[in-house]
């Protein structure tokens, strides 16, 4: 999926408490389906290496309809698709062609360049189809930006699950809470899906930068309550815990080490070099990314440049547009 540069809202900082920033997502359209974008945000583009974060749904496609994100390119990042409901057919220029289902992880590393499409399979369009989930991008370290592209699929059953005292946490990627995911990453990070019963508590893992996206319910942190649809970015500190509200909560926990320098972001391209972004634009115009087997007929053209790609410091700064 792609970013169009429309900045996300950033609420005022929360005093001297542990939550440094609260990000309010903005809505966007992807292939006829509305999403809420929490990253990049005005004033905050990354949390650890996470540079893009979209909530898709919850929603439902009517019979005969479905998600249709045509082939589009990426460089300098890994895309991570994680669903709560529904199914998406992933295809890419490496020849990958498989569905992703709830709890699975599709980890696609663009490196020097890859193109992919995301659609509802034709076989599923004979009935209504729900879609609810998260897609995020993880920026690659400078040393890995030009790596060979790759794709890995991890079924839900292969991911660590922690269950204790009203908490069920699936570690999507990285390390945390005494566990390690089998998903191979290019930098130190954590990414987890936490379902919490009313009053359950979840400690934050020990990583340099930490955030939480409230998918459902409410949470309380140091006496402050936060509603669903907020990205919370935490200040550094130890011993911090999140408590679920009276209806329980579901969170996506994310973060990791701060990036190793600033990044440029334009459309689907992330790089530490402005010149590399320009090269990627030329490569997509010229068809040098290749075609997606099984989805060769259409593609998303390079957008008209309304704004200039801007540099972004690792822990916040200028918006994309």
């Amino acid at each position: 999926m792609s970013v169009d540069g429309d900045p996300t809202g950033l609420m005022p900082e929360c005093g001297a408490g542990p939550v440094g920033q609260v990000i309010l997502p903005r809505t966007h359209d992807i292939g006829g389906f509305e999403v809420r974008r929490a990253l990049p945000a005005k004033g905050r583009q990354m949390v650890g290496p996470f540079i893009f974060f979209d909530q898709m749904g919850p929603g439902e496609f009517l019979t005969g309809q479905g998600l249709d994100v045509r082939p589009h390119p990426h460089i300098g990042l890994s895309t991570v698709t994680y669903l709560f409901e529904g199914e998406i057919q992933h295809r890419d220029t490496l020849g990958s062609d498989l569905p992703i289902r709830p709890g699975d992880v599709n980890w696609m590393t663009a490196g020097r360049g890859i193109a992919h499409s995301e659609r509802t399979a034709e076989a599923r369009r004979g009935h209504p189809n729900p879609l609810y989930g998260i897609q995020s991008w993880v920026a690659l370290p400078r040393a890995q930006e030009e790596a060979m592209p790759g794709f890995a699929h991890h079924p839900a059953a292969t991911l660590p699950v922690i269950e204790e005292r009203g908490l069920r946490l699936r570690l999507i990627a990285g390390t945390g809470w005494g566990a390690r995911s089998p998903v191979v990453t290019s930098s130190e990070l954590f990414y987890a899906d936490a379902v919490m019963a009313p009053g359950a508590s979840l400690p934050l893992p020990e990583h340099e930068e930490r955030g939480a996206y409230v998918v459902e319910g409410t949470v309380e942190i140091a006496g402050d309550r936060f509603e669903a649809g907020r990205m919370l970015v935490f200040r550094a500190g130890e011993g911090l815990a999140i408590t679920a509200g009276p209806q329980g909560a579901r969170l996506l926990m994310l973060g990791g080490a701060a990036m190793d320098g600033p990044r440029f972001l334009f459309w689907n391209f992330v790089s530490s070099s402005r010149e590399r972004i320009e090269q990627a634009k030329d490569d997509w115009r010229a068809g040098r990314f290749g075609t997606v087997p099984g989805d060769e007929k259409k593609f998303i053209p390079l957008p008209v440049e309304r704004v200039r790609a801007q540099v972004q410091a690792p822990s916040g700064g200028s918006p994309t547009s």
Side-chain angles (χ1 to χ4, degrees):
M1 298 175 188
S2 58
V3 61
D4 63 6
D6 191 10
T8 303
L10 184 69
M11 294 178 66
E13 293 205 2
C14 304
V19 179
Q21 296 171 311
V22 180
I23 299 169
L24 296 176
R26 297 282 297 273
T27 58
H28 297 256
D29 180 86
I30 54 162
F33 193 79
E34 194 170 76
V35 302
R36 299 175 183 177
R37 181 160 299 155
L39 292 175
K42 183 177 181 180
R44 184 87 194 198
Q45 193 173 45
M46 286 184 276
V47 179
F50 289 85
I51 198 168
F52 176 97
F53 190 98
D54 263 6
Q55 176 184 331
M56 308 175 287
E60 185 176 71
F61 292 104
L62 300 177
T63 300
Q65 300 179 355
L67 182 69
D68 280 307
V69 181
R70 293 165 290 160
H72 57 281
H74 292 285
I75 66 164
L77 56 86
S78 294
T79 68
V80 191
T81 303
Y82 185 80
L83 298 180
F84 307 129
E85 291 183 88
E87 181 176 309
I88 296 174
Q89 192 73 22
H90 167 94
R91 296 184 179 92
D92 62 40
T93 48
L94 299 176
S96 310
D97 185 354
L98 79 169
I100 180 169
R101 301 185 175 100
D104 296 349
V105 172
N106 271 15
W107 192 282
M108 184 184 77
T109 297
R112 66 185 62 176
I114 198 170
H116 72 137
S117 65
E118 297 151 294
R119 298 185 184 271
T120 301
E122 288 299 324
R124 295 183 58 85
R125 299 191 185 216
H127 54 77
N129 281 282
L131 184 61
Y132 186 19
I134 303 292
Q135 189 177 72
S136 55
W137 296 352
V138 176
L140 296 176
R142 286 175 182 262
Q144 298 295 320
E145 285 183 310
E146 296 300 315
M148 291 290 291
F151 177 84
H153 176 80
H154 296 268
T158 66
L159 303 176
V161 173
I162 299 166
E163 294 186 271
E164 56 181 37
R165 297 186 297 276
L167 168 69
R168 188 176 195 275
L169 181 145
R170 175 180 285 120
L171 188 59
I172 300 168
T175 60
W177 302 278
R180 177 181 293 274
S181 169
V183 177
V184 176
T185 66
S186 297
S187 59
E188 179 187 342
L189 59 85
F190 71 98
Y191 194 28
D193 174 16
V195 179
M196 305 170 68
S201 180
L202 173 63
L204 290 185
E206 295 182 359
H207 283 266
E208 184 178 2
E209 295 186 357
R210 302 173 295 180
Y213 183 75
V214 186
V215 180
E216 298 172 359
T218 61
V219 297
E220 185 175 301
I221 303 166
D224 293 321
R225 176 167 289 190
F226 300 94
E227 306 290 330
R230 270 79 171 160
M231 172 76 77
L232 313 178
V233 183
F234 301 99
R235 292 188 173 93
E238 297 182 1
L240 180 62
I242 302 171
T243 302
Q247 304 303 316
R250 188 169 198 168
L251 307 174
L252 262 290
M253 308 293 296
L254 70 156
M259 288 305 296
D260 56 356
R263 292 295 185 272
F264 293 90
L265 173 64
F266 176 84
W267 192 36
N268 305 313
F269 305 139
V270 172
S271 179
S272 59
S273 163
R274 185 190 298 276
E275 292 73 23
R276 184 65 182 89
I277 295 282
E278 295 303 316
Q279 181 62 56
K281 295 179 188 178
D282 291 341
D283 289 344
W284 185 242
R285 291 190 193 99
R288 287 191 286 266
F289 277 82
T291 59
V292 175
D295 205 344
E296 303 95 342
K297 294 181 180 179
K298 297 181 179 180
F299 63 91
I300 301 177
L302 191 78
V304 176
E305 295 185 45
R306 297 184 298 273
V307 296
R308 184 183 62 195
Q310 297 185 14
V311 70
Q312 175 63 49
S315 59
S318 302
T320 309
S321 63

